[in-house]
């Protein structure tokens, strides 16, 4: 059985590793026979290099990233290739209907007044941002999935570079007559970007997805997909 090596982005916020640890604890509960290890691309320990070097057998690396971008497409695969060319690197967790469900749950669970959207509410998907067009496309797809889940339009905005500024999108929704403007956080863990969402002018910002059960199942799905994609194909006579 290969080891599932999870790689989170990393944050200086001390709560981040706690969230990752809680998520991986849920992964272990779902599949207790599977070896699961933790690592970070930057800003936290153990580093990806330390963790990869410590795995003795086969390994499938699963980035705990919600979309494509530099870390998912270039950085993590390149670093793994240099140390363990036999390793398999899975795709990022999102976009996914399972992830959209988790984002919706976090939004509804924290709403002032109870877990129910009002007809006059406007929902905006808040993401970190990406300079990679593929990353922007993934957030756009995630917003569509959340829109279907909530049965209302869901635009998106970024708190970093690469797309429409979240504060501007929030202001547009308010100007269009929304009763409340709610930001659904498209982040794994608290930290710098979640703090910036709080300053975008919304009436409410949901908590990060965190150790949601659907996200734990999605981690295992990406692990299984990567294993199957690289399995030897036996020709049929």
């Amino acid at each position: 059985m290969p080891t599932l090596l999870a790689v989170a982005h990393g944050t200086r916020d001390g709560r981040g590793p706690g969230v990752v640890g809680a998520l991986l604890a849920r992964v272990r509960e779902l599949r207790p026979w599977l070896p699961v290890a933790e690592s970070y691309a930057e800003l936290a320990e153990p580093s990806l290099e330390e963790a990869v070097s410590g795995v003795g057998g086969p390994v499938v690396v699963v980035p705990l990233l919600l979309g494509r971008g530099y870390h998912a497409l270039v950085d993590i695969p390149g670093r793994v290739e240099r140390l363990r060319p036999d390793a398999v690197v899975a795709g990022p967790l999102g976009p996914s209907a399972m992830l959209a469900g988790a984002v919706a749950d976090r939004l509804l669970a924290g709403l002032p007044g109870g877990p129910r959207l009002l007809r006059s509410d406007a929902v905006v998907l808040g993401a970190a941002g990406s300079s990679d067009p593929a990353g922007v496309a993934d957030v756009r797809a995630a917003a569509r999935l959340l829109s279907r889940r909530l049965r209302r339009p869901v635009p998106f905005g970024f708190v970093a570079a690469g797309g429409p500024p979240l504060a501007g999108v929030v202001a547009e929704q308010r100007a269009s007559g929304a009763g409340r403007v709610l930001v659904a956080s498209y982040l794994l863990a608290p930290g710098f970007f979640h703090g910036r969402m709080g300053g975008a002018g919304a009436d409410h910002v949901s908590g990060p997805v965190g150790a949601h059960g659907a996200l734990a199942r999605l981690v295992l799905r990406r692990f299984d997909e990567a294993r199957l994609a690289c399995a030897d194909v036996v020709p049929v006579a």
Side-chain angles (χ1 to χ4, degrees):
M1 175 65 65
T3 294
L4 187 165
L5 175 59
V7 188
H9 180 280
T11 174
R12 292 186 177 89
D13 191 306
R15 296 169 293 175
V19 170
V20 173
L23 174 61
L24 296 183
R26 300 197 73 162
V27 171
R28 294 184 183 99
E29 289 173 1
L30 291 170
R31 204 172 290 184
W33 60 88
L34 176 67
V36 177
E38 173 183 349
S39 69
Y40 297 88
E42 57 184 45
L43 302 176
E45 300 293 336
S47 69
L48 173 58
E49 284 76 10
E50 290 170 339
V52 167
S53 300
V55 177
V59 58
V60 175
V61 177
V62 180
L64 301 184
L65 304 172
L66 304 189
R68 293 172 293 175
Y70 169 72
H71 284 296
L73 298 177
V74 179
D75 179 47
I76 291 173
R79 289 160 69 181
V80 172
E81 171 70 21
R82 285 191 289 273
L83 287 173
R84 286 290 302 268
D86 61 313
V88 179
V89 181
L93 300 179
S96 161
M98 294 171 67
L99 180 53
V103 171
D105 285 351
R106 294 299 189 217
L107 175 66
L108 296 175
L111 282 180
R116 184 174 66 89
L117 288 175
L118 306 177
R119 180 170 295 184
S120 60
D121 289 339
V123 177
V124 179
L125 184 70
S130 176
S131 59
D132 191 312
V136 177
D138 283 352
V139 174
R140 183 178 293 111
R144 287 197 300 267
L145 289 168
L146 185 60
S147 174
R148 293 174 194 165
R149 185 84 179 193
L150 299 178
R151 299 183 179 180
R152 64 184 62 214
V154 177
F156 66 93
F158 293 156
V159 292
L166 180 60
V169 178
V170 168
E172 289 171 2
Q173 296 301 306
R174 199 175 299 285
S176 69
R180 298 185 299 182
V181 182
L182 313 171
V183 170
S185 172
Y186 198 60
L187 297 170
L188 174 64
F192 174 74
F193 292 122
H194 193 256
R196 293 195 68 176
M197 287 181 187
D203 296 291
H204 174 72
V205 178
S206 70
V209 179
H212 194 284
L215 197 63
R217 294 192 296 274
L218 185 56
V219 169
L220 288 170
R221 175 174 290 186
R222 295 292 182 253
F223 171 82
D224 292 336
E225 288 170 347
R227 286 186 65 202
L228 289 172
C230 295
D232 292 335
V233 178
V234 179
V236 178

